[in-house]
Amino acid sequence: MEGNSTTNMRKTLIGELIRGRDCTEKLQNQLLRRVVDGGPESPEDLVMKIAASFSECLSTFSYPVSTYVGSACLDKTKKKPEPGAVKDRRGCYKRKTEDSRVEITDTYEDGYAWRKYGQKEILHAKFPRCYYRCTHKDDQGCKALRQVQQLEEYGSAKYRITYIGSHTCQNMNENTQTFLAPEDHSFSLINFKDSGIKHSPSSLSTITNGDTIVSFKQHDDSNAQGGNYLAPSSQGTSSNYGCEDMITNLDLSYTDIFKDDDLNGERDNYHASSSQATSSNYVWEDMITDLERSCDDIFQI
DNA sequence: GTTATTTGACCTGG
DNA sequence: CCAGGTCAAATAAC
């Protein structure tokens, strides 16, 4: 009984993912000019189709589209216990609510001085999550926090960095300011339900959800040693390279899904237990969400 | 000696 | 009960 719905869900997902992957390949070919005639489908059409595939996949999960922003989606009606009511502050963590931002970047350096205060193995994550607070917490009371989660990548590591709170300390390195207040951004958001596309004037591409931002940065490794690794590139010249690169990433993400889920095999433990539905769907959701992000990057070009 | 990191325990929210 | 966020003692680095 559960098996049928699981199988149907798999079929839907696989079908949509294959469709999305095919569109990605076509798009990649068009951008690389491997085909003289790209056919009747414009890049915009292809990306739309990819987005539609994601939407379909996510709706298969009954997944609220365009709301994933990492753990920051925990922004629910939060009732806080009495501050100080706890005898010991240990473990008394506040859910990130007010001011959290998520960046996907290929370096965990951001120019700030951070002090690591914890590390945790995260379920379904290959790499542990590291917890940092601002070095100037003690002397200046800076409350900025960040979490660094290395994502599995192909050769070049990528990191999902969650910033919680803003720096109130003075020790900022101006040219490495890497995140913007929400009000400073024109949000670039793909709504996978209605395919609404908005363009950001910024070179940063961003997905937002309420008060949380997901942004993507590119990092020119050739400049990494100089320290100015976040120097903004001129938007015009980097576009093509960035687009190709991101589409390649999108393609790799598909490869990862198809490899990881072993579509021809029996890895149904992802989906087997209905009682474990949320955790078993997590891997798929997470990977598809990564695809969304890749796709969003493409839209920004 | 001071400061930063590691790591297991503790704590909370879901 | 579990997953994840934080604390703080132990340890390492300088």
Side-chain angles (χ1 to χ4, degrees):
Chain A
M1 40 178 187
E2 291 292 341
N4 277 345
S5 63
T6 297
T7 304
N8 289 337
M9 189 175 96
R10 278 179 74 87
K11 282 180 179 173
T12 303
L13 287 171
I14 292 165
E16 289 301 329
L17 288 169
I18 288 171
R19 192 162 71 100
R21 186 180 61 178
D22 290 345
C23 290
T24 303
E25 286 173 358
K26 287 180 188 175
L27 183 59
Q28 195 168 27
N29 285 337
Q30 286 195 15
L31 283 162
L32 294 174
R33 300 181 191 286
R34 284 176 188 155
V35 289
V36 178
D37 181 7
E41 294 161 307
S42 69
E44 288 80 7
D45 290 337
L46 291 169
V47 179
M48 284 294 188
K49 286 184 179 180
I50 296 168
S53 292
F54 295 155
S55 180
E56 195 61 37
C57 290
L58 292 173
S59 66
T60 303
F61 289 122
S62 300
Y63 190 71
V65 186
S66 292
T67 59
Y68 179 86
V69 280
S71 50
C73 58
L74 295 164
D75 184 21
K76 308 241 163 111
T77 51
K78 58 264 178 180
K79 46 173 181 223
K80 257 204 300 200
E82 291 282 315
V86 204
K87 52 174 188 227
D88 189 355
R89 304 285 299 175
R90 176 179 289 192
C92 173
Y93 63 90
K94 57 263 175 196
R95 299 285 177 178
K96 349 153 173 185
T97 53
E98 70 284 1
D99 186 18
S100 65
R101 296 163 292 277
V102 181
E103 292 186 359
I104 308 295
T105 172
D106 49 10
T107 176
Y108 54 84
E109 300 286 349
D110 64 0
Y112 288 99
W114 297 98
R115 178 171 177 170
K116 189 175 181 178
Y117 67 88
Q119 178 173 314
K120 192 78 177 178
E121 294 290 336
I122 301 299
L123 195 69
H124 295 129
K126 286 189 176 166
F127 301 93
R129 180 174 299 164
C130 299
Y131 300 89
Y132 299 86
R133 66 168 65 99
C134 180
T135 298
H136 303 290
K137 181 189 179 187
D138 294 332
D139 55 340
Q140 297 181 41
C142 182
K143 290 177 179 156
L145 299 174
R146 82 167 180 173
Q147 301 171 359
V148 177
Q149 174 80 58
Q150 183 175 349
L151 307 170
E152 53 182 328
E153 275 304 328
Y154 309 83
S156 63
K158 280 211 183 327
Y159 303 89
R160 177 183 300 161
I161 304 180
T162 303
Y163 293 94
I164 302 155
S166 301
H167 283 277
T168 56
C169 58
Q170 302 296 317
N171 193 2
M172 293 178 166
N173 192 347
E174 207 173 296
N175 65 355
T176 54
Q177 175 88 23
T178 58
F179 56 82
L180 306 173
E183 59 271 22
D184 291 335
H185 248 323
S186 297
F187 299 152
S188 55
L189 169 66
I190 297 177
N191 185 324
F192 284 86
K193 271 297 187 217
D194 59 20
S195 295
I197 305 169
K198 299 163 189 168
H199 293 286
S200 166
S202 165
S203 58
L204 277 177
S205 54
T206 321
I207 295 177
T208 70
N209 176 38
D211 46 23
T212 302
I213 298 177
V214 180
S215 58
F216 303 82
K217 285 188 303 200
Q218 285 184 270
H219 171 205
D220 184 354
D221 281 318
S222 63
N223 292 330
Q225 298 304 320
N228 293 326
Y229 44 85
L230 290 176
S233 56
S234 62
Q235 293 175 345
T237 53
S238 63
S239 290
N240 283 339
Y241 172 78
C243 195
E244 288 173 15
D245 210 30
M246 285 183 288
I247 293 171
T248 300
N249 284 340
L250 186 62
D251 199 35
L252 287 171
S253 296
Y254 276 111
T255 304
D256 190 41
I257 286 181
F258 282 82
K259 173 192 69 186
D260 219 51
D261 194 59
D262 193 12
L263 293 180
N264 297 318
E266 293 298 321
R267 295 264 302 277
D268 272 353
N269 54 327
Y270 278 165
H271 314 284
S273 163
S274 60
S275 64
Q276 292 292 322
T278 46
S279 63
S280 63
N281 286 340
Y282 172 85
V283 176
W284 275 82
E285 290 177 6
D286 213 32
M287 289 189 290
I288 293 169
T289 305
D290 283 342
L291 291 174
E292 278 190 359
R293 293 185 179 127
S294 301
C295 198
D296 185 52
D297 262 2
I298 296 166
F299 270 114
Q300 302 316 307
I301 300 297

